[in-house]
């Protein structure tokens, strides 16, 4: 059986074919331009592939509520050409197959839960820290959607006493994304994160903010594992700093086997940046199974 996977990102669209084990058989990348240009190319790729289902993990905000009139839409995105675009219906009308649809970060989370660092767990948090900060949550074995979907990148941060930076988020200034995403690092320190690898103060501060967010998310969501991905997390020296800072900020309040083994609790994404597309394959498998 062949499944289609579409990882729809703000800069590129990855189209892939996968099998029932989540294996990627082939993939292409197309630039995200505007729907009238990009969608025909995507449809062209999938049209003669005889896929049984399609999984789409999409940048957002998106409407995930199957009972909503705008289900399947990209809604209020600042990428204006894509605002109010019905990506699910466009693919459905072209391919006539079952379609699974979720956020980009839930796609990555699903990939890690099914095939990677969180295999078999039912309560998992996935954060991506890159151009923005996104968060996906699995709770009791299900991807959490709720009213819209979690927007963990915009939770409030308490600034570090040594940090006078005003934050990069146009909505909130000093939210998590505003203080800790790649553009915030670049604006605060005057250079891109990749060029700051040798400056420990950059990563100590970064770890402080990520750990502050994790402290709050551990307390609210009680995840059994936390996976951190995205461009900024390529600075692997962050991991021990984040783990230590989480324990400091929790200040002994929680005592669980997971926190006692924190090196295996807060971990990097494990699927070599294929977690998103593998999650899409799983979304496709599930959508096909549901309609069978
Ligand atoms: P996106 O979030 O756009 O999908 P990425 O996850 O690659 O893409 O994130 C890009 C952001 O991460 C940029 O702000 C970039 O400066 C930062 N970044 C990318 N690679 C590194 C690195 N090795 N170290 C630190 N920051 C990085
Ligand atoms: Zn914000």
């Amino acid at each position: 059986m062949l499944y289609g996977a579409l990882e729809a990102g703000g800069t590129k669209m990855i189209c892939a074919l996968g099998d029932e084990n989540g294996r990627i058989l082939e993939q292409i990348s197309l630039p995200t331009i505007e729907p009238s240009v990009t969608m025909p190319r995507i449809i062209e790729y999938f049209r003669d592939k005889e896929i049984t289902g399609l999984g789409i993990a999409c940048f957002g905000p998106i409407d995930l509520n199957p009972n909503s009139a705008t289900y399947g839409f990209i809604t209020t995105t600042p990428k204006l050409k894509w605002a109010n675009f019905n990506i699910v219906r466009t693919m459905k009308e072209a391919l006539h197959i079952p379609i699974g649809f979720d956020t980009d970060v839930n796609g990555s989370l699903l990939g890690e839960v099914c095939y990677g660092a969180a295999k078999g767990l039912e309560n998992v948090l996935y954060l991506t820290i890159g151009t923005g900060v996104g968060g996906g949550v699995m709770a009791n074995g299900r991807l959490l959607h709720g009213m819209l979907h979690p927007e963990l990148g915009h939770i409030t941060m308490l600034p570090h006493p040594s940090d006078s930076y005003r934050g990069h988020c146009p909505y909130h200034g000093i939210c998590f994304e505003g203080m800790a995403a790649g553009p915030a690092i670049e604006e605060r320190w005057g250079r891109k994160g990749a060029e700051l690898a040798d400056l420990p103060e950059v990563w100590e501060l970064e770890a402080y903010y990520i750990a502050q967010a994790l402290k709050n998310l551990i307390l609210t969501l009680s995840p059994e594992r936390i996976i951190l991905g995205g461009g900024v997390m390529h600075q692997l020296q962050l991991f021990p700093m984040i783990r230590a800072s989480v324990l400091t900020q929790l200040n002994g309040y929680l005592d669980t086997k997971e926190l006692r083994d924190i090196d295996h609790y807060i971990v990097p994404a494990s699927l070599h940046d294929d977690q998103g597309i593998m999650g899409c394959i799983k979304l496709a498998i599930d959508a096909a199974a549901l309609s069978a």
Side-chain angles (χ1 to χ4, degrees):
M1 216 76 101
L2 266 187
Y3 297 93
L6 170 58
E7 190 177 14
T11 50
K12 61 182 194 283
M13 299 277 183
I14 300 176
C15 305
L17 299 181
D19 68 13
E20 61 281 2
N21 299 314
R23 206 155 34 138
I24 300 169
L25 304 173
E26 60 166 74
Q27 69 178 63
I28 61 160
S29 174
L30 301 167
T32 304
I33 301 168
E34 59 181 277
S36 64
V37 177
T38 307
M39 295 312 296
R41 293 182 188 166
I42 294 172
I43 291 165
E44 182 64 27
Y45 173 78
F46 285 115
R47 194 184 288 286
D48 58 354
K49 298 288 197 299
E50 299 191 2
I51 52 178
T52 306
L54 175 69
I56 306 175
C58 189
F59 69 97
I62 58 178
D63 188 341
L64 294 171
N65 178 357
N67 300 318
S68 157
T70 52
Y71 171 77
F73 279 60
I74 300 169
T75 59
T76 56
T77 172
K79 291 193 150 291
L80 293 178
K81 297 225 160 106
W82 292 86
N84 303 309
F85 175 65
N86 190 340
I87 189 167
V88 169
R89 194 177 72 197
T90 302
M91 294 310 295
K92 187 121 200 154
E93 285 180 350
L95 301 176
H96 307 287
I97 52 172
I99 294 183
F101 183 53
D102 218 309
T103 62
D104 44 6
V105 66
N106 268 349
S108 295
L109 165 62
L110 192 61
E112 292 287 351
V113 167
C114 296
Y115 311 113
K119 223 188 254 178
L121 297 179
E122 297 205 325
N123 298 283
V124 183
L125 169 65
Y126 186 102
L127 288 180
T128 176
I129 303 171
T131 306
V133 174
V137 178
M138 176 167 276
N140 297 336
R142 297 187 59 190
L143 295 171
L144 184 64
H145 295 157
M147 170 186 75
L148 177 72
H149 42 73
E151 283 283 355
L152 303 181
H154 296 271
I155 60 174
T156 302
M157 289 279 108
L158 200 60
H160 189 277
S162 71
D163 186 18
S164 57
Y165 180 56
R166 304 289 295 269
H168 197 268
C169 177
Y171 292 88
H172 319 109
I174 58 170
C175 63
F176 184 14
E177 177 172 308
M179 292 306 251
I185 297 175
E186 185 175 346
E187 191 176 62
R188 185 194 278 110
W189 300 95
R191 273 186 289 158
K192 284 190 181 304
E195 298 162 19
L196 296 163
D198 296 337
L199 293 182
E201 62 271 30
V202 171
W203 307 107
E204 284 292 349
L205 190 65
E206 182 69 11
Y208 167 81
Y209 287 119
I210 296 171
Q212 188 186 141
L214 291 187
K215 173 201 168 193
N216 284 312
L217 295 169
I218 289 167
L219 293 170
T220 46
L221 299 167
S222 206
E224 298 166 286
R225 189 157 298 153
I226 296 170
I227 300 168
L228 302 178
V232 171
M233 296 313 304
H234 288 146
Q235 299 292 329
L236 291 178
Q237 74 275 26
L238 276 170
F239 280 89
M241 294 178 185
I242 292 167
R243 292 174 187 130
S245 185
V246 164
L247 293 177
T248 305
Q249 295 188 51
L250 281 170
N251 199 23
Y253 182 70
L254 298 178
D255 181 20
T256 64
K257 67 178 189 331
E258 288 83 359
L259 285 165
R260 287 194 292 273
D261 184 20
I262 197 162
D263 290 355
H264 297 108
Y265 182 58
I266 299 173
V267 298
S270 69
L271 296 170
H272 315 289
D273 290 334
D274 282 339
Q275 56 273 17
I277 208 77
M278 293 173 82
C280 291
I281 297 170
K282 178 65 172 149
L283 285 173
I285 294 169
D286 289 351
L290 253 182
S291 76

